[in-house]
Amino acid sequence: MGTYIPHTEDEITSMLDFLGLATIDELFAEVPAALKLQRGLELADGAGEPDVLAHLDDFADRNPARTDRLLCFAGGGAYDHEIPAVTKALAGRSEFMTSYTPYQPEVAQGVLQAVFEFQTMIARLFGLPVANASLYDGASATVEAVNLGVAAAGLNTVWVSEGVHPHWRQMLATCAAGTGHRLRTVKLVNGVTVWPDTDLTGEDRPGVLLVGYPNYLGCLEDIPAARSICDRAGAMLVVATDPVSLGVLKSPGEWGADVVVGEGQVFGTALGFGGPYLGLFACAQSQVRRLPGRLVGETVDLDDRRAYVTTLRAREQDIRREKATSNVCTNQTLMAVTAAIQLAWLGTAGLADLALRCARATRYTRDALLAIDGVEPYATAPVFREFAVRTRLPADTLVERLADAGFLAGIPLGNEFDDGDHGLLIAVTERRTRDEIDAYVTAFAKAVA
Amino acid sequence: MGTYIPHTEDEITSMLDFLGLATIDELFAEVPAALKLQRGLELADGAGEPDVLAHLDDFADRNPARTDRLLCFAGGGAYDHEIPAVTKALAGRSEFMTSYTPYQPEVAQGVLQAVFEFQTMIARLFGLPVANASLYDGASATVEAVNLGVAAAGLNTVWVSEGVHPHWRQMLATCAAGTGHRLRTVKLVNGVTVWPDTDLTGEDRPGVLLVGYPNYLGCLEDIPAARSICDRAGAMLVVATDPVSLGVLKSPGEWGADVVVGEGQVFGTALGFGGPYLGLFACAQSQVRRLPGRLVGETVDLDDRRAYVTTLRAREQDIRREKATSNVCTNQTLMAVTAAIQLAWLGTAGLADLALRCARATRYTRDALLAIDGVEPYATAPVFREFAVRTRLPADTLVERLADAGFLAGIPLGNEFDDGDHGLLIAVTERRTRDEIDAYVTAFAKAVA
Amino acid sequence: MMSGSNQLLGPAAPGGKATSAPLLGRDAEPTIFELSHPGRRAWSFRTTGIPELEVDELIPVDHARSAPTPLAEVSERDLVAHFTRLSHRQFSVDLGAYPLGSCTMKYNPKVCDAVAALPGLAGVHPAAPASLTQGWLGLMVEVEEALCEITGMAAATLQPAAGASGELTGLLLMRAWHAAQGAPRHKVIIPDSAHGTNPASVTLGGYEVVTVPSDARGCVDMEALASVLDEDVAGIMLTNPNTLGLFEEDIAAIAAAVHKVGGLLYYDGANLNAILGVVRPGDMGFDIVHMNLHKTFATPHGGGGPGAGPVAVSERLVPFLPGPRPERVVDGPEGAEVYRWMTPEQSIGRMHSWHGNTLVLARALAYILVNGGDGLQKVAQIAVLNANWIRQRLSGTYDVPFDRQCMHEVVLSSRNLKQAHGVRALDIAKRLLEEGFHSPTVYFPLIVEEALMIEPTETESPQTLEALAQALELIAGEAKALPTGSMAEAPRNTPVRRVDEARAARTLIPTFDARAES
Amino acid sequence: MMSGSNQLLGPAAPGGKATSAPLLGRDAEPTIFELSHPGRRAWSFRTTGIPELEVDELIPVDHARSAPTPLAEVSERDLVAHFTRLSHRQFSVDLGAYPLGSCTMKYNPKVCDAVAALPGLAGVHPAAPASLTQGWLGLMVEVEEALCEITGMAAATLQPAAGASGELTGLLLMRAWHAAQGAPRHKVIIPDSAHGTNPASVTLGGYEVVTVPSDARGCVDMEALASVLDEDVAGIMLTNPNTLGLFEEDIAAIAAAVHKVGGLLYYDGANLNAILGVVRPGDMGFDIVHMNLHKTFATPHGGGGPGAGPVAVSERLVPFLPGPRPERVVDGPEGAEVYRWMTPEQSIGRMHSWHGNTLVLARALAYILVNGGDGLQKVAQIAVLNANWIRQRLSGTYDVPFDRQCMHEVVLSSRNLKQAHGVRALDIAKRLLEEGFHSPTVYFPLIVEEALMIEPTETESPQTLEALAQALELIAGEAKALPTGSMAEAPRNTPVRRVDEARAARTLIPTFDARAES
Ligand SMILES: Cc1ncc(COP(=O)(O)O)c(C=O)c1O
Ligand SMILES: Cc1ncc(COP(=O)(O)O)c(C=O)c1O
């Protein structure tokens, strides 16, 4: 019954008439009759918007994990950060929402300029000169970065730190089936990567080193160590980062990374059960022609007024086809625009304060939890805004128990990590108050007792 | 700590400097020192937006009557109607929200045209040629209508039907203290007004008859009867209506009203605990120079393009001052724009269907309630989309009991009406399903048992 | 539609054509009625399962209308396109500076929109009993208390929907009070600089307006005032700072004189933004104070409304306040705070359908809490700083009728430009639109010829002030340099150009249907 | 800032100046960095009461950056003004018709925005266990089931974030399947009319691209196909209707031929809107199908994204789908339905950081439910009707390279206008902007010279089609009448005029900082 089609029956008739057709089915005359669906789709008939909204709200109601019911201490690449009304209001403007890729720059300066500002902010944050207009998410950005690295180095062996988000490593492996990259996982010890000192000329010679900073366990890796291996091996250094941490941490670019990727959800995008998020990607000037995805550049119009346009299009699939640097077309522009707004809202001081607040809350929580007997650090290396603990209890059980107490306790490390079943990854954002944390710690103590 | 002021300390200093001032206090040199506040305001210091939002949400949480917790069966001029996402999205556009009275029509065509469309829709709905750009609410529109009527008739006695919303009658009485109108309340019998057949030439000769259609009890009044008294007395007929009912009911204009007023909350505005709402006002062509408030008219611009502008400004306070037809300045434009959007969403068929659905739900509920023993009709006259019942129980108690069962049962008639303490006014909108109504009736039966 | 023709001559206009959006063109936007096509729809309702009786089964047939009211029949897509395009034809604070004097067009924080949308506030029926709406009553009491502290008054009613409604409320309070003293009075004094709502409200309050002139400094002429003060004066209405943006220095003397003859002082709070946390109406001697929350407390003006105009009063007037009013009482077992409705025994009655523009009150409270006591004082300081900077910056360019320190706004005059070059304040206002700013208020207050009333507000940055000043300098320069009348061409780059207001009044077209006839 | 000067020479640009909004002017909008002024702020956080350790107490100092990252420092007011003005420089579906071929720019229902904003959907962490997110898993299963019914497939993965990601997923499925058969293959066939993402994905899938030409009717040339089919062909990627908007009538034969050599058929679902409820990829013989929810199912395109590109497969490929996948199981005491995550034993792995663009899935489900089975078929019918009406209406004006009934879009060519009058498809696209419409897709598909690919979608009314047709007729007329090159002037009335793309590539300025250097 619900429909968004304006046509009345009269209009349909007269249009068919004009086409010399008697029935609407004749529009599909070229579809072989044998193939046609002989019945209607087995879906419920159309419903009114209020009924549909109610139906979707029923689903929503069956998600006790929602942040308005469980206080969120989970992170792992998706964080419960402040999203101010102003960011929602501006990013929700329908001109940003209901437009598409700026193929006609004359009527797309709004999105183009917002993305240009986004690129500038990400480039500054990551410490590299060029950032693209977005990729799907952290995982896909990582895959693209490795592809770029392999192409640049001309070597398809990739050393992957175990400290990179397990899901991102999984996608990397999935895609390697197609690209043929040879992935070598390098273990963490006490939370940081210990690179093998194998002979760098042999068949294991890496074209890419991939490391997290901070890594999945929240630990601060030794980037110079990775850099020096790259220099010796002629490999590219790809760093997967947590962009919020960079409010305080030295940028991967400054540490010497060739490519930096990250998950941009932290800049104004809802948790939303995992998507749509925002893949962040920045690289060295030398790699700009290998850059995946769109890039907005500044130029001028006929009247010499400042204008923006997508540029270096020759890299892209619609022009380069099978030789393109990537297959990405539709990206996550709206989230990039959202991030530009959120980063402008935060500003220089706000982002630094945000990172600091997260680090303080994390330290406060970690100290309190480790004071509980039966709770040990999973890794000992210094952490920034996230950390893992080990308890007697299976982490899944711990999460269930704390849910009853009103908390989403964290993320079980799972079988991806040694003894991960008893490891819990915990993130504490600026939104958690001391009272909330104290209550969490108390419930935690009760749960593990 | 929170602030919306852009100025940095440096900028403040240099601006003071330019003014030749040493301190910011010197800006207030002309304020006699003796009068100045010698202390800071005794208000909490500024807080961040997240804290403030949380504080306001605490208040919100302490309103169990909210429609997402209690199913709403209350009406009395404020109704729980469908407000689609599209109406909220469009009416929430910041160009409509953050502009002011269109003093510069060249940059205010958006609001002006939307109001022009609103005026057209209200005029059509009320059956009169002219509608204004809004007044505060139903009560203030009623006051303005009576003022117009008295001025037009040159007689300041006003016959007020008891069937007009009690609050509106109260405001009328409050304002009559200033205008000196002589108000005579005319009782309802079985839900409809029984006009006195006094001699219409004597000192009680009315200048205005004010009647509800449908009236506060939901009953359908005999408008022709009122009209004929007006004709004989040379009085103006003012009808206070429920605009949604007019989706099915004959318009007051068609019935012969000179002025029609109503509460426009029903067209897309939230219940919001009573405001901001929308005062609707329409009148006969002959009264247009007495029209209170703003009026948008069509005209052309320098290039002869269609344009809109506020017109007949000579009626208004800023020009006419003490001789103005009204003192209204800021009105409820945003609600008028909202109503235009909502009415366009409803459209011709939708408004008719809305009214019909309300009438059906009301009939269904009324029949079921009257079948309960101990529940009698408060009035016997035919009703449209609202009705009153009488029970043994004090209506306040009934409301409390049904709240425990999950319903806002209705509105106690209260001491405004004979035996009103046991009378409950019930409204059932298109949003109530049969299951919800059945549950309500069951709870009702239990409560009065 | 001609069947088989190659054209689709439906009655409706093309909803998908966007040239009316200034982004793409200069055409007029069709009305929603022109976009309408029979049979189109956007609406849908819940499925209820309620028996579908027909109209004649529900009501006596003579009450049923013969045909449904013709509104618009449009698809949701065309509905959205139409109003989105209209929004592109509308200037707003969110697009740029709006220095409209006396209207305090400051930035409206988005967090207040979030507050007004809270289901626990927006979804509450106004007739629900106090027991089920404690949150709302508590919120209103908190608003009342904050406003009383800010104004220095004893209590307030939150009912008035806007300033003018507050004025009438105040005058009715005045009336009730004098009546209670057993001595009704007949006159209310207002300065010649007063806003139009004041005299209009005085009339509705049943009083006669007595106007006092302003003196050379732009303030109430004390001698003139003395000469009209007598036992028949119910009170005086003042705006302080007044509509010239000047502080009435003699306010103490005025208060004494008016009180001496038994009159009351009414404070028109439209300009309260200038004195927040600096000086309070109550301390100046005012008995009745209205506030415009849509000005001072940043609630959005909504294209002309809604607003909220609470009225605060001194002790002696509290018993007369409109009711019902929310109040806090301590009760319950362990003396918990609860809220209830009460109506003062001598209450003048009711000034709103319900309790006031409550969602506007919630927005204002959020604004007050974000700023806090300290922040509100800074609001006043910066608002005044900005206005004085503009005054000083432009004093060489336009004349400043009252060249003294101003408060939150400054009234300039372009009378010289008119005399010498025939350029009116109106032309300057229109020309300024082309420079990317909304115009100041023009021709008000009435006592200043060719008035340009500029209120920058505290939320405009120094850079914006500088750009505004440069634009006004540029325009003054053009007025002198360009041929007379050329400025009457402005504005050129707006959705429509100079609008023919005379024609609108001459052949009134208040509805789409009237157009058809005219 | 020069103290005491009459000018406020702050480093920042005026945030309150609105000439960059087309409503008021034609200036460029300054970047947020130019609006920035040291010390300004908009941000605020909760008060937490957590001890305020300093950086050096929290991390080893060598990890701390020496100075904070310079972003922008703006007031909330300037932040709002800047991005609101940018939005006024952006065309969108909500402003007018957007007949961008292959992109299905239909109206995006607002109710879907409300769905995506539900706290119970938007506020859920993706790592929360299934026991605490049953609603989300149930929703996803409902989406998967609907998509399978619509496409005629057995199961689907919801992970791919967009069409291209779906393509790669499909190719990796192809690979895994052939590997499981013990016979890896090396070639994938695509028609010369294919979208650029297809060949790019084929490469990433580790396959070699074999291109087959189209025949005179715009469909796959069957002989050419036969000549390249062999045991090394892993499969073929087809769009049906293809990018010319034409239905591949020989699809059954193609399927048979490809299957005969043991290859798989991949369906690029970008054009699914044309056949909803009419014919299903599964019934055509496809093994793998991706959908673009941001096209067919009306989720907003967001200025370039996000999208969602679920991939549905036939039975034999189900064991290879990415995981984890949500599944419904009946368990619990009274056999209640519950949902859990499961990973197929031969799963190719993972194609998303989490579970897919989940909020996009929720929007799409709402759209599917509003339309229903009946409504979706009507969507296809009207989309095709609109495209054919445009084709017929303009067939005299532009040439129609493949003049036969089309499906949801029609590809016209302006090659004659180019030959005779030097007017390119690009010029026509730019000129059309002036008429209030977004341009069609131009120069795609590559096999049509001067291609103008028009996809009206079903949500544009007949009146809008008529206006679009008239605009295109007008432009063709001008191309003939006006002096050569004059159309290169278009567009004139847009926020900026023809943009210098060559210069952008020559001197690359990808950031505000690069500008400073360049
Ligand atoms: C000085 C003054 N007094 C009173 C008013 C009336 O306030 P409102 O428009 O809210 O009714 C205004 C507002 O325009 C004003 O500027
Ligand atoms: C025919 C065709 N195939 C594939 C794609 C790629 O889809 P997406 O942009 O969602 O990656 C598109 C969209 O542009 C398309 O039009």
Side-chain angles (χ1 to χ4, degrees), chain B residues 1 3-8 10-11 14-15 17-18 48-51 85-86 89 93-95 106-107, chain D residues 1 3-6 8 24 37-41 43-47 75-76 84 88 107 110-111 114:
Chain B
M1 161 258 156
T3 175
Y4 300 104
I5 296 170
H7 303 56
T8 61
D10 290 0
E11 289 177 317
S14 105
M15 289 174 79
D17 219 352
F18 171 56
E49 289 187 350
D51 291 343
V86 67
R93 298 271 308 170
S94 63
E95 297 87 343
E106 296 80 6
V107 293
Chain D
M1 173 161 47
S3 82
S5 86
N6 73 329
L8 282 169
L24 284 180
H37 183 72
R40 283 203 190 137
R41 66 179 283 175
W43 59 283
S44 61
F45 300 116
R46 285 181 81 177
T47 309
S75 64
E76 186 171 313
T84 304
H88 275 238
Y107 169 66
K110 299 298 173 197
V111 71

Side-chain angles (χ1 to χ4, degrees), chain B residues 131-216:
Chain B
N132 75 5
S134 81
L135 292 164
Y136 305 132
D137 57 17
S140 65
T142 305
V143 171
E144 298 276 9
V146 166
N147 291 348
L148 180 152
V150 165
L155 293 165
N156 76 345
T157 297
V158 184
W159 289 6
V160 182
S161 161
E162 190 188 27
V164 171
H165 196 300
H167 293 174
W168 303 7
R169 288 188 280 125
Q170 286 162 19
M171 181 164 173
L172 209 49
T174 305
C175 294
T179 53
H181 303 335
R182 298 158 66 240
L183 308 179
R184 305 268 175 278
T185 305
V186 184
K187 282 259 168 216
L188 297 178
V189 177
N190 291 329
V192 291
T193 315
V194 178
W195 303 102
D197 53 9
T198 52
D199 145 35
L200 292 175
T201 56
E203 74 117 32
D204 247 8
R205 177 178 171 194
V208 176
L209 260 69
L210 172 62
V211 61
Y213 183 76
N215 67 22
Y216 185 70

Side-chain angles (χ1 to χ4, degrees), chain A residues 6 8 11 14 17-18 51 95, chain C residues 1 3 5 37-38 40 47 88:
Chain A
T8 61
E11 289 178 316
S14 105
D17 218 350
F18 171 57
D51 291 343
E95 297 87 343
Chain C
M1 174 161 43
S3 81
S5 86
H37 183 72
R40 283 204 189 135
T47 309
H88 275 237

Side-chain angles (χ1 to χ4, degrees), chain A residues 85-103:
Chain A
V86 66
T87 295
K88 289 184 199 155
L90 294 174
R93 298 272 307 171
S94 65
E95 297 87 343
F96 297 135
M97 290 264 290
T98 71
S99 51
Y100 195 32
T101 309
Y103 295 118

Side-chain angles (χ1 to χ4, degrees), chain D residues 155-305:
Chain D
T157 173
L158 304 176
Q159 285 187 15
S165 176
E167 293 171 22
L168 179 53
T169 304
L171 288 153
L172 293 172
L173 284 166
M174 222 181 248
R175 218 187 159 73
W177 187 79
H178 284 295
Q181 313 312 306
R185 298 184 170 203
H186 303 91
K187 295 182 294 185
V188 169
I189 299 170
I190 60 174
D192 56 3
S193 62
H195 188 265
T197 49
N198 296 11
S201 300
V202 168
T203 304
L204 287 170
Y207 287 111
E208 176 196 325
V209 174
V210 178
T211 306
V212 284
S214 304
D215 64 16
R217 290 179 50 76
C219 292
V220 171
D221 181 319
M222 292 303 286
E223 284 170 18
L225 176 62
S227 69
V228 295
L229 275 176
D230 62 31
E231 303 291 312
D232 199 29
V233 169
I236 184 169
M237 295 181 83
L238 289 177
T239 313
N240 195 16
N242 63 27
T243 63
L244 294 162
L246 305 172
F247 193 84
E248 297 278 354
E249 299 151 294
D250 299 329
I251 184 60
I254 295 172
V258 173
H259 283 151
K260 185 141 165 302
V261 298
L264 299 175
L265 277 82
Y266 181 97
Y267 183 85
D268 174 339
N271 295 346
L272 187 64
N273 208 51
I275 61 168
L276 292 167
V278 175
V279 53
R280 309 187 305 170
D283 301 336
M284 292 184 222
F286 285 93
D287 303 281
I288 306 168
V289 177
H290 95 246
M291 288 148 277
N292 303 68
L293 303 192
H294 45 299
K295 297 178 181 184
T296 314
F297 302 105
T299 69
H301 283 70

Side-chain angles (χ1 to χ4, degrees), chain B residues 100 329-330, chain C residues 102 162-164 167 195 197 268 270 292 294-295:
Chain B
Y100 195 32
C329 176
T330 293
Chain C
S102 209
E167 293 171 22
H195 187 266
T197 50
D268 174 338
N292 303 67
H294 45 300
K295 297 179 180 182

